[in-house]
Amino acid sequence: MRIYSATDIGQKRKMNQDYVFASCTPVGNLPNLFAVADGMGGHNAGDFASSHAVQILVDEIRGDADYNPVKVIRHAIETANTEIVDQAQKDEKLRGMGTTMVVATVVGHYAYVANVGDSRLYVIQKQIQQVTKDHSLVQEMVRMGELSAEEARNHPDKNIITRALGAEETVDIDFFDMKLEPGSTILMCSDGLSNMVEDKKMEEIILNPDEDIVWKGKTLVQEANQNGGKDNIAIILIEPFTNEVETC
């Protein structure tokens, strides 16, 4: 397994509220663990929400005796949500904070994925496929047939999300699992990448046979910044079945 992970402040923001965690070695009973979180809230609240939620997630997974990846990840995200809600109630400066979260683990030839918010997971196997579904106002309008995908991309309300950790006492989590083919690549990212770079361009960069995973990751971030870099950028690239030396 080879991985590349990074966050970037982008071109417009003064603070980086994105946070990533990437481990290709075991975390608790999971053989590996990857997470992207995109925080929201004024001052330091978004920064705290994303980093703290991921740290709680990792700690909970490390201590969980269960071997079922979906149960392990569900419990950890629910605990992180409770902690973010509690912290926001205790500290006025953190009031209203929240964070998206997309989490994945690869077990054998299967990826198990959890998602809250509009951070995404894609799988690239000959072509790019978005696995997660955005929990956002605009994507709900697309699903209802009220907007086209192209209209949604430039809609003024595209940053309004309908689910986040910290928004309510309980959190509704989407789960996905899929079989991975040899040569596949997983891309996890915040909307700072997906809003700035078209899916086809991401596909083109990731499927470049002449470049390695580090070049691909750096080029994706560079592309987002060249296209305006309107938000923080978070990215994890995973090549699950490579025979090359691990990069994590």
Side-chain angles (χ1 to χ4, degrees):
M1 178 178 284
R2 283 175 66 86
I3 67 172
Y4 175 85
S5 63
T7 64
D8 189 275
I9 198 169
Q11 301 296 306
K12 305 293 184 182
R13 298 296 174 91
K14 295 180 179 178
M15 180 181 297
N16 192 347
Q17 298 187 333
D18 287 1
Y19 194 85
V20 301
F21 177 88
S23 173
C24 60
T25 57
V27 178
N29 288 331
L30 299 184
N32 46 66
L33 181 65
F34 308 96
V36 170
D38 179 357
M40 64 205 79
H43 305 293
N44 294 321
D47 174 46
F48 178 83
S50 58
S51 61
H52 194 57
V54 173
Q55 287 161 8
I56 296 296
L57 174 94
V58 174
D59 288 345
E60 288 296 312
I61 289 172
R62 283 194 177 120
D64 198 319
D66 208 313
Y67 282 89
N68 182 309
V70 173
K71 289 182 179 178
V72 170
I73 293 170
R74 181 190 296 280
H75 175 258
I77 293 176
E78 289 174 346
T79 302
N81 180 71
T82 299
E83 179 68 15
I84 295 299
V85 170
D86 289 349
Q87 289 285 341
Q89 291 172 347
K90 291 175 185 174
D91 189 338
E92 182 66 34
K93 293 177 182 176
L94 301 177
R95 195 66 50 86
M97 71 174 173
T99 184
T100 70
M101 187 176 284
V102 58
V103 182
T105 187
V106 177
V107 183
H109 283 264
Y110 286 85
Y112 296 90
V113 183
N115 181 53
V116 179
D118 63 354
S119 293
R120 293 179 177 179
L121 184 142
Y122 296 86
V123 171
I124 301 88
Q125 299 176 149
K126 297 182 182 176
Q127 62 184 19
I128 193 165
Q129 174 191 354
Q130 182 181 335
V131 175
T132 54
K133 296 178 173 64
D134 296 352
H135 303 136
S136 68
L137 180 63
V138 166
Q139 285 303 310
E140 293 294 338
M141 293 167 74
V142 171
R143 284 193 278 274
M144 297 286 286
E146 298 171 12
L147 282 179
S148 70
E150 187 54 41
E151 288 170 332
R153 188 166 192 85
N154 300 303
H155 198 282
D157 295 332
K158 68 180 179 181
N159 292 325
I160 298 175
I161 63 173
T162 54
R163 291 190 214 172
L165 272 72
E168 298 180 12
E169 297 287 336
T170 59
V171 60
D172 190 7
I173 310 163
D174 281 356
F175 285 91
F176 308 87
D177 61 80
M178 65 179 304
K179 188 172 183 180
L180 300 169
E181 302 298 332
S184 60
T185 300
I186 296 169
L187 166 63
M188 301 168 67
C189 65
S190 64
D191 64 346
L193 181 73
S194 56
N195 282 343
M196 291 288 102
V197 184
E198 298 275 0
D199 286 8
K200 289 302 289 184
K201 185 62 178 180
M202 291 193 278
E203 176 186 284
E204 177 189 321
I205 291 168
I206 291 168
L207 290 178
N208 187 328
D210 299 321
E211 301 292 349
D212 67 7
I213 195 170
V214 175
W215 179 91
K216 293 172 184 179
K218 289 182 176 179
T219 301
L220 287 168
V221 173
Q222 182 181 2
E223 190 77 17
N225 278 321
Q226 287 177 345
N227 291 344
K230 294 179 182 178
D231 202 349
N232 307 142
I233 304 154
I235 176 176
I236 300 175
L237 278 177
I238 308 160
E239 294 176 349
F241 306 128
T242 181
N243 292 322
E244 298 178 63
V245 178
E246 295 173 351
T247 58
C248 53

